[in-house]
Amino acid sequence: MRTTSVGVFRIATTGPGDVSGLMDLIVSGAIDPNSILAILGKTEGNGGVNDFTREYAVAALCTALAPKLGLSAPDVEQRIAFVMSGGTEGVLSPHITVFTRSEAERPAGLSGKRLSIGMAHTRDFLPEELGRAAQIAETAKAVQTAMADAGINDPADVHFVQIKCPLLTSERVAAANARGNTTATTSAYSSMAYSRGASALGVAVALGEIGSDLGDEDVLRRYDLFSKVASTSSGIELMHNVVIVLGNSGASVSACVIGHAVMEDAIDAAAVVSALNSVGLGAAPQTTAGRALINIFAKAEASPDGSVRGFRHTMLEDTDISSTRHARAAVGGLIAGLAGTGAIYVSGGAEHQGPAGGGPVAAIARLSD
């Protein structure tokens, strides 16, 4: 098995098209553009169907990286996994997190498992397959491929699986109807949840968290079925799933480690602290010698039963602001207070991603060695 070194860089942005921070690190030599494997970002759009800040950010990054890689902009998107999550409500701050991977020799005396990353793509889906068993099965296969790419054999070493998945549009629904098929829903907004949910169930199947005997009827209904490490985000800009597996591997000599916990609800501060503790950190101010927080990645959603710990919430009834925006703001504020920064990755819509109303939270720390 090859030995790799994984680097992680959190870079603030002034807008969806701002690539200056990344370019500065490339010019300085801190980042080799040829080593970039994935870029996850938070953009200041609405996180909905018409959030074009996600596509704008990817286009800007591809255009900037193309000459550095000797590729066309479309080819850059095929080489690097881009996952942009729209919505920086409350104190959440727009930023990107760049993951690099390169071959490396193991230093003498280095022991233990370190941060590793793997990537895979599913095939393109037909509109009528979104939110259904086909998407579950294909996602499960892609997760296993990404695990192998990361050099991870044990599912217990997987701490976060980020997926970018498609959504339905009127044109895509019409195309399915023209073939005599129906889609899981005709609502573009609702299709985001179906696609996220099916993708998350695919992660759970791949990691053995649940069985593989699932049908279309389980998506968005069997909320007792979920993954503790899945994070899925829907977008209009693709028709396949992009899968990024983050975990710890003995084949990695990274200066970083990752750990996770599961939030039972939107105010589960103890779980956030547990995630920080899993990488040797505590709540802010973080004074643990020899370790520094790089970023936190989490999912957020309004509890579908309309309550949090016995008290009613109104996120699902607000017709002015979508529930996902409420949830990102609430969970983002909670985590930011414990992490000591608003530059964290909190994505809305946690269907089958952790228990209903909760979600996974993962932390990456850099070690001094």
Side-chain angles (χ1 to χ4, degrees):
M1 182 179 296
R2 73 185 191 279
T3 302
T4 61
S5 178
V6 174
V8 190
F9 304 83
R10 184 180 59 184
I11 305 168
T13 59
T14 59
D18 179 22
V19 298
S20 60
L22 174 58
M23 291 301 106
D24 287 345
L25 289 175
I26 290 175
V27 170
S28 70
I31 292 180
D32 175 1
N34 292 289
S35 70
I36 298 175
L37 189 72
I39 300 179
L40 276 60
K42 287 299 302 181
T43 63
E44 52 264 61
N46 60 25
V49 176
N50 64 335
D51 183 354
F52 300 108
T53 64
R54 298 176 300 219
E55 188 174 6
Y56 178 22
V58 172
L61 288 163
C62 288
T63 300
L65 288 169
K68 301 292 184 181
L69 297 171
L71 300 172
S72 67
D75 286 339
V76 173
E77 194 166 355
Q78 295 302 311
R79 173 170 172 166
I80 297 172
F82 293 94
V83 179
M84 297 296 143
S85 171
T88 51
E89 296 81 5
V91 298
L92 293 175
S93 182
H95 68 283
I96 60 174
T97 305
V98 179
F99 292 87
T100 63
R101 186 179 70 182
S102 57
E103 302 288 330
E105 296 292 331
R106 177 172 294 277
L110 186 68
S111 62
K113 297 178 180 179
R114 300 298 181 94
L115 177 67
S116 187
I117 182 172
M119 181 180 70
H121 297 256
T122 67
R123 61 169 173 81
D124 279 359
F125 294 111
L126 294 171
E128 54 266 38
E129 292 179 316
L130 295 186
R132 289 175 166 161
Q135 191 174 19
I136 296 172
E138 291 298 319
T139 302
K141 290 192 291 187
V143 170
Q144 292 173 338
T145 300
M147 284 178 63
D149 185 47
I152 297 175
N153 299 315
D154 187 349
D157 287 327
V158 175
H159 293 283
F160 203 67
V161 180
Q162 178 62 56
I163 294 177
K164 188 70 176 182
C165 53
L167 55 82
L168 291 173
T169 62
S170 297
E171 292 78 10
R172 291 169 183 175
V173 172
N177 291 339
R179 289 189 294 272
N181 297 318
T182 59
T183 53
T185 177
T186 58
S187 165
Y189 186 74
S190 295
S191 76
M192 299 177 77
Y194 273 97
S195 186
R196 289 192 300 255
S199 299
L201 288 173
V203 175
V205 169
L207 300 181
E209 296 175 289
I210 61 175
S212 59
D213 185 19
L214 299 175
D216 298 347
E217 67 279 1
D218 294 315
V219 182
L220 302 192
R221 293 177 180 86
R222 290 285 307 278
Y223 283 112
D224 58 312
L225 303 175
F226 59 84
S227 170
K228 296 180 179 180
V229 296
S231 170
T232 64
S233 179
S234 299
I236 198 172
E237 64 272 19
L238 76 177
M239 278 305 291
H240 64 279
N241 280 11
V242 179
V243 178
I244 302 169
V245 166
L246 292 168
N248 295 317
S249 170
S252 172
V253 295
S254 173
C256 307
V257 292
I258 184 172
H260 82 280
V262 181
M263 296 180 69
E264 295 296 324
D265 55 38
I267 57 174
D268 191 355
V272 180
V273 174
S274 178
L276 290 166
N277 288 340
S278 72
V279 292
L281 297 172
Q286 285 124 8
T287 58
T288 306
R291 293 176 183 249
L293 177 68
I294 298 179
N295 210 341
I296 292 181
F297 302 85
K299 290 298 297 187
E301 74 165 358
S303 177
D305 68 1
S307 67
V308 177
R309 302 191 187 184
F311 285 88
R312 183 172 67 94
H313 70 72
T314 61
M315 291 184 277
L316 297 173
E317 284 77 40
D318 190 340
T319 55
D320 296 313
I321 303 173
S322 73
S323 61
T324 55
R325 306 198 77 176
H326 277 292
R328 278 192 298 267
V331 175
L334 173 73
I335 296 176
L338 294 169
T341 176
I344 52 179
Y345 184 100
V346 179
S347 174
E351 305 86 0
H352 302 291
Q353 300 152 71
V361 53
I364 296 178
R366 178 176 288 112
L367 284 62
S368 61
D369 63 0

